[in-house]
Amino acid sequence: MAGNGHPTIKTVAARAGVGRTTVSRVINGSELVSADARARVLAAIKELNYVPNSVARGLVTSRTDAVALVIPESESRLGSEPFFAALIRGVSAVLAETRTQLQLTLVRDRFEREQLAATVATRRVDGVLLVSVHAHDRLPGMLEELGLPTVLAGRRDARERLAYVDSDNAGGATAAVRHLLERGRRQVATITGALDMDVGRSRLAGWRGAHREAGVPADGNLVEAGDFTEEGGRRAMRSLLERAPHLDAVFAASDLMAVGALAELRRRNRRVPDDVAVVGFEDSVLARHTDPPLTTVRQPVEEQGRTMARILLDITRHGAERRQVTLPTELVVRESS
Amino acid sequence: MAGNGHPTIKTVAARAGVGRTTVSRVINGSELVSADARARVLAAIKELNYVPNSVARGLVTSRTDAVALVIPESESRLGSEPFFAALIRGVSAVLAETRTQLQLTLVRDRFEREQLAATVATRRVDGVLLVSVHAHDRLPGMLEELGLPTVLAGRRDARERLAYVDSDNAGGATAAVRHLLERGRRQVATITGALDMDVGRSRLAGWRGAHREAGVPADGNLVEAGDFTEEGGRRAMRSLLERAPHLDAVFAASDLMAVGALAELRRRNRRVPDDVAVVGFEDSVLARHTDPPLTTVRQPVEEQGRTMARILLDITRHGAERRQVTLPTELVVRESS
DNA sequence: CCGCCGGGTGGGAGCGCTCCCGCCGGTTGA
DNA sequence: TCAACCGGCGGGAGCGCTCCCACCCGGCGG
């Protein structure tokens, strides 16, 4: 019983000469406290340097004021780090306003990913933000069953039921390819992203859409599947050039793949943009540093993070409905096109 | 009392026909349980899909099995994201092994930084990992007073008392400058990092050391202070060229500043490496993508994160002493030198 | 003058867990 | 034979908080 350790609400109550309940009320901003009592409690808190124990609070309220951000590490390793960094910044900014903690969970492999559901079920978080969901990912479903509010970055497919915030992938891709066609490019190839993800499929759909719009037939020979990695971009560029040596433009579904494509083009002494125009997607820091600087589609990643956090908090704090938001993208023209 | 909600340890005990304590023992891997009882408990856990409530556990053990990683956002915004991403990967890998949660705290401004001490004092974390500490940062001291185990990424100064993991900044810088001098460069300038940080000072010391070693006088005119940003690198390069137009090499204390320097050199039509050799520090992704690819000093950032996490866990779990570790760096020669 | 109301207050109970301590019954050594 | 011991086990207490439910008391209407 030494006054040692940290002061508790009881210590504060004794010091202020009031009951525990009154202290609790002051802390939680209840109106039903006389000005006098409130002042005494506040003074006691300051004197004792008291900080409420949020674990104890969490036990009774069964809220933790923490949300998890789940990121598959395999993808983050692939150099898309700027994406995650920006997303985290956005999320964190909104959470800070409401004193909500951000728990970062990097998931290394499928096993850890499935295990996560159990971890998360230990009630350590009020909700989950999920990044990079594949079409047949089971995790979102598991979280839903657990009744844990979940917001996705990107959707699993066009019929997504859960809350999500996505960029306008199809629209951005269409704009990119339209830009190439309008500049007179005749054979606009595309290096797609992973096609088991909606991002990959939607950006490919955008490439098709722009062709349709322009009344140009979309040649299946000009499509090569990538995987969002630099090496994948390089490889895809290689097979495209072999299949369609006369292509004069390529739309890569990510900046990183565009970088790979640029490398392959340089290796073959194709000039960019003179011989072949290149456009990426994301507008990461990379895009400004390639040679030549990369034309690309900017997605508002930080805003995406902010929106995700807001939607999640609205659900956990105010029981709001799940919302689905698509954020606009914007073509940034640089020197590669 | 409806069987609703989540099963508790009591539910499991009833189902298995044992006491709460026995269930607890099984969960925590105690030896003092008969094989029979253990089997029954395990079965009950599985049937009920029971997951222990870690908040309740935390209340009694006063451990949360979570640690905070504190990152000043101002710096992370500066494009050093690859550094933080790698650090997080390392930290996360080690934490995952011990089922410890990672709480990420981006600190936007000084105010939030000081407030953090209070937040952290709500007992939500067992320890803190601190990144980018400036020489006169008050936060480490506050955490120490709170008795919260802390490990720094980098040290405040050469007399650091807290646990830390740092790269061999001086050694790496010396190797970089030695390399330039050995290749016959006569005027090796340096763009320093922020000089209120040990990283900045140590890398500058390395530049001096290599000169001393080679018996070449270190010309103060060849030193220009930067701030680890690209723009800072550009600016520093500009003043260096004005002050010392005949310099034939520059060692930048970060890749990002090297990128700025490269841009300025190109603007002035100085060829790299023919006219001026450039070396950076960090070996971030950027380094492979500059034109020409950047010679730089690789620091084992992921390993740094792993080591930090290990040291922190050793302290929180086993009451180990604070350790101070310096990890070796390695010169990576590419085409800019 | 009495009942009633309602703002301000405090104590009890209980959140789900761990840990202390004591109980039980079988084995061992003197 | 009996005390000492020990492995296996369970209940009580309590971690620090919130919330329910009184309780008190001054003011007011009947």
Side-chain angles (χ1 to χ4, degrees), chain B:
Chain B
M1 261 307 123
N4 215 347
H6 288 264
T8 74
I9 201 171
K10 228 163 171 173
T11 332
V12 176
R15 177 64 156 260
V18 300
R20 293 171 356 257
T21 311
T22 301
V23 176
S24 175
R25 276 193 269 256
V26 170
I27 293 168
N28 295 296
S30 158
E31 293 301 314
L32 293 106
V33 183
S34 67
D36 175 58
R38 165 168 290 116
R40 292 216 310 281
V41 168
L42 256 20
I45 287 179
K46 176 147 286 180
E47 284 171 41
L48 295 169
N49 217 341
Y50 167 74
V51 183
N53 180 322
S54 57
V55 174
R57 173 183 296 165
L59 180 56
V60 32
T61 59
S62 63
R63 283 195 22 207
T64 57
D65 291 316
V67 304
L69 174 60
V70 180
I71 296 180
E73 197 199 11
S74 53
E75 335 238 340
S76 87
R77 187 182 287 283
L78 303 179
S80 19
E81 286 123 351
F83 175 82
F84 294 106
L87 198 76
I88 289 175
R89 266 204 306 275
V91 167
S92 161
V94 169
L95 295 184
E97 292 167 10
T98 54
R99 304 188 145 287
T100 304
Q101 304 298 326
L102 175 60
Q103 188 181 296
L104 188 67
T105 310
L106 258 50
V107 182
R108 257 150 292 272
D109 46 41
R110 176 155 314 187
F111 173 70
E112 275 195 24
R113 194 168 172 86
E114 313 246 316
Q115 202 185 37
L116 174 79
T119 308
V120 130
T122 64
R123 313 278 114 203
R124 304 190 68 137
V125 291
D126 296 337
V128 178
L129 302 170
L130 223 50
V131 181
S132 288
V133 276
H134 290 252
H136 301 296
D137 200 324
R138 293 170 49 202
L139 189 52
M142 298 171 85
L143 293 174
E144 198 184 8
E145 272 177 39
L146 280 167
L148 213 66
T150 304
V151 178
L152 311 178
R155 53 191 194 179
R156 282 172 292 179
D157 55 42
R159 305 183 312 284
E160 183 61 74
R161 302 179 325 280
L162 294 179
Y164 70 79
V165 181
D166 202 359
S167 312
D168 182 6
N169 290 308
T174 302
V177 176
R178 183 189 300 137
H179 158 79
L180 291 167
L181 292 170
E182 280 175 356
R183 295 231 170 159
R185 303 289 171 169
R186 316 298 308 166
Q187 294 205 29
V188 181
T190 184
I191 302 175
T192 77
L195 290 178
D196 65 334
M197 293 176 76
D198 184 75
V199 230
R201 280 200 302 272
S202 294
R203 292 179 188 172
L204 174 56
W207 176 83
R208 288 220 183 81
H211 280 84
R212 198 177 317 121
E213 198 182 271
V216 180
D219 181 355
N221 244 345
L222 293 175
V223 177
E224 178 70 29
D227 54 2
F228 287 125
T229 71
E230 180 175 352
E231 180 49 33
R234 193 192 320 263
R235 244 188 343 251
M237 191 72 247
R238 202 172 306 144
S239 21
L240 281 172
L241 286 171
E242 276 159 21
R243 272 215 307 270
H246 299 304
L247 62 83
D248 57 2
V250 57
F251 163 62
S254 80
D255 284 354
L256 208 58
M257 293 197 299
V259 167
L262 284 175
E264 181 63 19
L265 288 167
R266 181 172 316 120
R267 210 177 62 79
R268 306 211 174 198
N269 295 317
R270 303 280 195 119
R271 289 167 307 161
V272 176
D274 311 56
D275 301 334
V276 180
V278 177
V279 178
F281 204 116
E282 185 173 323
D283 194 24
S284 67
V285 264
L286 273 179
R288 278 190 301 280
H289 292 292
T290 55
D291 177 29
L294 188 67
T295 294
T296 185
V297 179
R298 174 176 301 159
Q299 18 176 16
V301 182
E302 200 165 328
E303 174 62 23
Q304 187 176 7
R306 282 195 296 267
T307 309
M308 289 175 68
R310 260 184 233 118
I311 293 180
L312 185 58
L313 290 178
D314 277 351
I315 298 176
T316 61
R317 319 275 263 224
H318 316 301
E321 283 301 298
R322 18 175 104 130
R323 279 192 291 148
Q324 305 190 324
V325 176
T326 302
L327 298 173
T329 51
E330 177 196 1
L331 184 68
V332 179
V333 180
R334 294 206 181 85
E335 286 140 55
S336 68
S337 67

